Amino acid sequence: MGRTGRRPGGVDTRGSILSAARSEFGNKGYHQATIRSIAAEAGVDPALVHHYFGTKEDLFATSIDLPLRPTELADTVFADGVESAGMRITTVFFTVWENQETRSPLLAMLRGAFGTEQGAEILREFFGTAMLGRVAPRIGGDDAELRVSLALSHLIGVAVLRYVIGFPSLRDVPVDQLIAAIAPRVQSYLDS
Amino acid sequence: MGRTGRRPGGVDTRGSILSAARSEFGNKGYHQATIRSIAAEAGVDPALVHHYFGTKEDLFATSIDLPLRPTELADTVFADGVESAGMRITTVFFTVWENQETRSPLLAMLRGAFGTEQGAEILREFFGTAMLGRVAPRIGGDDAELRVSLALSHLIGVAVLRYVIGFPSLRDVPVDQLIAAIAPRVQSYLDS
C-alpha cells in the first residue's frame, strides 16, 4: 500500500488521517475512538476516512500495520466453503505470523493485551467485532461464537508458545507440519 | 501444606529453603538455579531440600505457590488410562485456573513470560521438563512431544482469552461447557 493521497498544496490527507487514528486509538482506546472523532482530529470529512481506509476495524488494522483487512478476511477464509475454512484460516494465520515484518504488529498487540487493560480491550473489541462478528454467522448454530472463539484460542495459544515463549517442540517444527496438525482441530470447531 | 520443619532453636528450615529457592530462581533463572545452589544458599544439606520439596520442578512449583506437584501430575492425568487423559488434563487445568487463589501464580508466570526473557525461560524449562518430559512418554509415538505441546497450546490459548483478555464469548461461558468442548480436541492430540 503506497503513500497515496498527497494533494496539491502538500497536504498528505491519508497520512493525516492515519496519524489522527493512531492518536485517537492510543488516547481513547479502540472502543471510544470513532471514525467521526478521527476525522475531526484530522480536520477532514468522515466520508474521506471511509474512502481511504474502509471501516473502523480496517483503519485500526492499517494503523498498527496489520497486513489484513478484517472486512476481507471472512471472504478469504470461506472462499471454498465451510469445509475447507479450517485449513484456510490456519494457513492465513501462520503465514502472517511466520513473516518477521507482519509478525511485529501482532506481537505488539499481544504484548499490549497482557500489559494493559487498554491493550486487552483492543484485542477484545477488535477481534470480537472483526473476527467473530464476521466469521461466526458464516458457520451458523447457537454456539457459533463460542466455537469460533475456541478455534481462535488454539491458534493464539500456538502463537504464544512458538513466537513469544519459544517452546522448543513448537518453535522448531516446520510451519507446514504445524498447519497440517492444527487445521483439522480448527475445522472440527467450525463443523460442530 | 503446613509450615512444618521448625526445629528446636527456632530455625525454620523449610522456610529458609523456600526463601533461598525464591532468591536463586529469581537471580539465576530456572535453569541455572540448582538444588545444590539452593541448599548452599540456605545453609543446609541438598538431601534436606529433596526431603522437604521433592524435585527441582516441585520446589519451583511450591516457591511460586502453584497448587500442583509436577511429578504427581502425570499420574493424576493418566490414572484411568490414555483414553480419558484428555478430559482429566482439561479438568485439572481449568480447576486450577477457576480458583482465584490458584490462578494468581499462573497468571504471574504467564505475564512474566511475556515481559522478560527470564520469564519465558521459566515457562520453557518448567513446562518442558515438568509436563512434556513426563506426559509425552506415556502417550508414545515419534511426535508425542509435538502433540502434547499442541494440546497444551490450546489450553493456554483459552486461558489467555478467558482470564487475561476477557474475550466475552470465552469469559462468560460456564467452565463445564468449556471443558466439554475442549477435552475431545485435547484427547484427539493424545490419540494420534
Side-chain angles (χ1 to χ4, degrees):
Chain A
M1 299 183 200
R3 288 254 152 200
T4 57
R6 186 165 288 280
R7 288 166 149 191
V11 181
D12 176 2
T13 308
R14 193 179 180 282
S16 304
I17 296 171
L18 211 46
S19 298
R22 289 187 177 121
S23 157
E24 286 284 295
F25 285 132
N27 294 332
K28 297 188 177 170
Y30 180 76
H31 190 68
Q32 295 285 329
T34 61
I35 292 282
R36 186 174 298 271
S37 75
I38 290 164
E41 171 81 16
V44 302
D45 192 90
L48 211 56
V49 179
H50 283 298
H51 168 73
Y52 279 119
F53 296 98
T55 65
K56 176 168 135 177
E57 300 102 280
D58 288 335
L59 172 56
F60 176 74
T62 305
S63 79
I64 63 164
D65 296 322
L66 265 194
L68 299 171
R69 283 212 155 200
T71 47
E72 292 164 5
L73 185 64
D75 287 336
T76 306
V77 165
F78 291 102
D80 294 326
V82 173
E83 58 281 7
S84 58
M87 178 54 89
R88 277 178 165 265
I89 204 168
T90 306
T91 304
V92 167
F93 183 86
F94 283 105
T95 302
V96 174
W97 273 98
E98 283 295 301
N99 181 330
Q100 194 73 44
E101 203 170 313
T102 49
R103 182 193 306 170
S104 298
L106 290 170
L107 212 46
M109 191 156 79
L110 206 50
R111 284 189 197 281
F114 265 79
T116 66
E117 168 51 27
Q118 197 179 28
E121 187 241 339
I122 285 177
L123 216 65
R124 275 198 305 272
E125 296 278 340
F126 180 67
F127 279 104
T129 318
M131 315 287 280
L132 294 188
R134 291 193 168 80
V135 173
R138 304 276 193 116
I139 66 164
D142 287 348
D143 57 352
E145 278 211 7
L146 175 62
R147 291 187 283 121
V148 174
S149 302
L150 285 169
L152 183 65
S153 77
H154 190 3
L155 295 172
I156 288 180
V158 177
V160 167
L161 291 184
R162 182 175 172 93
Y163 305 107
V164 181
I165 313 291
F167 217 63
S169 46
L170 292 177
R171 183 192 59 204
D172 301 336
V173 69
V175 72
D176 290 349
Q177 195 182 340
L178 213 51
I179 292 172
I182 296 164
R185 275 75 188 197
V186 169
Q187 185 66 43
S188 81
Y189 277 124
L190 304 184
D191 288 340
S192 65
Chain B
M1 298 179 201
R3 286 252 151 201
T4 58
R6 186 164 288 278
R7 287 164 150 190
V11 181
D12 176 2
T13 308
R14 193 181 178 282
S16 304
I17 296 170
L18 212 46
S19 297
R22 289 185 177 125
S23 158
E24 286 283 297
F25 285 131
N27 293 331
K28 298 187 176 171
Y30 180 77
H31 190 69
Q32 295 285 328
T34 62
I35 292 283
R36 186 175 297 273
S37 74
I38 290 164
E41 171 82 15
V44 301
D45 192 272
L48 211 56
V49 179
H50 282 298
H51 168 73
Y52 279 118
F53 295 98
T55 66
K56 177 168 135 177
E57 297 102 281
D58 288 336
L59 172 55
F60 175 74
T62 305
S63 79
I64 63 165
D65 297 320
L66 265 195
L68 298 170
R69 284 212 156 200
T71 48
E72 292 164 6
L73 185 65
D75 287 336
T76 306
V77 166
F78 291 102
D80 294 326
V82 174
E83 58 282 7
S84 57
M87 179 54 88
R88 277 179 165 265
I89 204 167
T90 306
T91 304
V92 167
F93 183 87
F94 284 105
T95 303
V96 174
W97 273 98
E98 284 296 301
N99 181 328
Q100 193 75 44
E101 204 169 312
T102 50
R103 181 193 306 171
S104 297
L106 290 171
L107 212 46
M109 192 156 80
L110 206 50
R111 284 189 197 280
F114 266 79
T116 67
E117 168 50 27
Q118 198 180 26
E121 187 241 340
I122 285 176
L123 217 66
R124 277 198 303 272
E125 297 277 340
F126 180 68
F127 279 104
T129 318
M131 314 286 279
L132 294 189
R134 289 193 169 81
V135 173
R138 304 276 194 114
I139 66 164
D142 286 348
D143 58 351
E145 279 211 8
L146 175 62
R147 290 188 283 122
V148 175
S149 302
L150 285 168
L152 184 64
S153 76
H154 189 2
L155 294 172
I156 288 180
V158 177
V160 166
L161 291 185
R162 181 175 173 92
Y163 305 108
V164 181
I165 314 291
F167 216 64
S169 46
L170 292 177
R171 184 192 58 202
D172 301 336
V173 70
V175 72
D176 290 349
Q177 194 182 342
L178 213 51
I179 292 172
I182 296 164
R185 275 75 189 199
V186 169
Q187 185 66 42
S188 80
Y189 278 124
L190 304 183
D191 289 339
S192 65

